[in-house]
Amino acid sequence: YAEGSSNNKYLEIYNADDDVVYLGDYSISTCNGGCDSAMCFDFINNVEFSNGTVISPGDVYVICHGSSDDFILAECDQYFTYLSNGNDAMALTQLSTGGIIDIIGDMGDNPGDGWDVCGEGDTKDNTLVRIASVTEGNEWTVSSEASTCEWIVYGNNTWDYLGSHPHDGD
């Protein structure tokens, strides 16, 4: 996940499984600046994937803003204009049920500029990289707590890890 300067934004989906993942079964659901109703997405299935779109084992699928830097665009698999400004909850959801597979942010009130990430920064103007030992999604309150942290927080416009996974950081 990156919320960089201007339109330099992206969201990655990593397949940690040994099997191909069919993205046509999933979507990205979002809230804009907090959720209008607690625990309900403002935009259900906001990003859908074409049938036949897959992520191979160990591969990463990148959703980016279409006006991102050329470095990001070179890794981009799908464009989406309304990526987070740091305070928008974004979740990988199961298309048929709406069940949350993984989420960045909280489905409550607007957090202001962004949510705290592991006491190391926040979701505004930073890049978040999941640590290598994390192989499945989690609740934001678990993944972003300092004691159970699942993220490495990098500064604005850090794209060194874009398009690949896993990483343990520098």
Side-chain angles (χ1 to χ4, degrees):
Y1 163 96
E3 198 284 300
S5 63
S6 188
N7 293 319
N8 296 315
K9 305 168 188 300
Y10 60 83
L11 180 67
E12 296 178 297
I13 305 169
Y14 170 61
N15 179 1
D17 200 11
D18 292 331
D19 297 317
V20 169
V21 171
Y22 294 90
L23 280 179
D25 296 336
Y26 302 94
S27 66
I28 302 294
S29 296
T30 63
C31 289
N32 185 13
C35 296
D36 291 341
S37 298
M39 301 311 296
C40 294
F41 288 109
D42 296 341
F43 303 98
I44 299 168
N45 305 330
N46 203 11
V47 177
E48 293 187 23
F49 306 100
S50 301
N51 281 338
T53 302
V54 299
I55 307 176
S56 298
D59 202 3
V60 176
Y61 189 88
V62 179
I63 302 164
C64 75
H65 191 285
S67 296
S68 292
D69 183 272
D70 287 342
F71 185 86
I72 295 171
L73 293 175
E75 295 292 333
C76 191
D77 295 299
Q78 181 171 338
Y79 300 125
F80 182 64
T81 300
Y82 304 104
L83 290 167
S84 182
N85 287 323
N87 64 349
D88 304 323
M90 304 186 75
L92 177 64
T93 51
Q94 190 173 23
L95 192 59
S96 62
T97 67
I100 298 172
I101 309 299
D102 199 10
I103 189 167
I104 295 176
D106 189 9
M107 292 182 63
D109 294 333
N110 188 331
D113 286 339
W115 290 276
D116 179 67
V117 185
C118 308
E120 298 294 324
D122 61 33
T123 52
K124 174 78 173 154
D125 296 330
N126 284 308
T127 299
L128 309 182
V129 176
R130 265 292 177 43
I131 60 174
S133 61
V134 178
T135 59
E136 58 186 51
N138 212 337
E139 297 175 28
W140 179 250
T141 55
V142 173
S143 72
S144 66
E145 283 294 316
S147 63
T148 56
C149 184
E150 297 181 356
W151 300 97
I152 303 166
V153 180
Y154 293 101
N156 196 11
N157 296 332
T158 302
W159 309 322
D160 300 359
Y161 308 100
L162 172 62
S164 65
H165 197 73
H167 299 288
D168 285 320
D170 297 329

